[in-house]
Amino acid sequence: MKVSKETVEQNRERVIDTAAKLFRERGIDGIGLADLMKAAGLTHGAFYRQFKSKDDLVVQAVKRAYDDMSADLARRIAASDDPLQTLVRHYVSDDHRDDPGHGCSLAALAGDAARHDDPALRAFFGNIVSNYIALLTRLVPGGDPVAKRSTAIAVLAEMIGSVVLSRAVPDPTLSGEIIDTVSNDLVKRHSTPISA
């Protein structure tokens, strides 16, 4: 029985969504294609009708994860009187730490991307970093563009580093301490409401 183009596209989207979640949870090499396709409710054979390679899927999945996270952050920031505080409190949080499958690809996969051979994946991660730096540069207070960019880079590194470290330590008390300390410190040092 021939599968319609619409069904093929729906299946492709389901695989990308599943991969976006599972790669962030388990790492790029932490799940094989057969298990990924099974999790998406499809056969392993269907994979090669939809993607050139696993690397192709990885790039598509990371893009999907980034687009979803960006849309969520944009909504939160637009509704806030203090966008930087909103961003920091959402990103450096127990919820983000505890749900990597729906979190930021940088915190979940930057180490994988740095070791990966695929230039498209590395380039996309470079774009994610650049986009976060641009967003944070707009949000940090101050007038000097060079100082704002430097601050944005430091804030981004602290945000990502705190989530990575909080996930890595087995002691829940220390994990929570990392999240709370970094979140509170960043807000205290850098957040100021935008005047109307």
Side-chain angles (χ1 to χ4, degrees), residues 68-79:
D68 291 347
M69 182 85 172
S70 295
D72 180 47
L73 291 176
R75 282 189 299 274
R76 291 172 188 274
I77 288 168

Side-chain angles (χ1 to χ4, degrees), residues 35-179:
D35 289 336
L36 194 149
M37 293 301 286
K38 183 177 177 182
L42 298 167
T43 64
H44 183 235
F47 177 83
Y48 292 101
R49 289 191 294 270
Q50 298 172 349
F51 304 96
K52 296 177 206 165
S53 65
K54 184 176 180 181
D55 286 347
D56 177 36
L57 174 59
V58 169
V59 172
Q60 297 300 316
V62 170
K63 182 177 182 332
R64 173 69 47 84
Y66 172 74
D67 290 345
D68 291 347
M69 182 85 172
S70 295
D72 180 47
L73 291 176
R75 282 189 299 274
R76 291 172 188 274
I77 288 168
S80 175
D81 291 336
D82 190 341
L84 181 59
Q85 177 174 313
T86 298
L87 174 61
V88 168
R89 295 282 190 208
H90 176 69
Y91 196 101
V92 185
S93 67
D94 295 344
D95 289 341
H96 187 204
R97 175 198 61 207
D98 296 343
D99 191 10
H102 294 99
C104 178
S105 297
L106 288 176
L109 297 171
D112 286 2
R115 291 183 295 272
H116 212 273
D117 293 335
D118 183 18
L121 179 64
R122 293 191 62 160
F124 193 73
F125 267 88
N127 289 337
I128 294 172
V129 171
S130 295
N131 290 342
Y132 268 114
I133 290 169
L135 171 62
L136 287 163
T137 300
R138 289 191 304 273
L139 298 181
V140 296
D144 175 27
V146 174
K148 284 175 61 95
R149 182 174 169 81
S150 294
T151 300
I153 291 169
V155 169
L156 180 61
E158 287 180 67
M159 288 171 46
I160 294 169
S162 65
V163 173
V164 170
L165 289 176
S166 71
R167 287 177 179 166
V169 298
D171 177 3
T173 301
L174 177 55
S175 178
E177 186 180 10
I178 291 167
I179 291 292

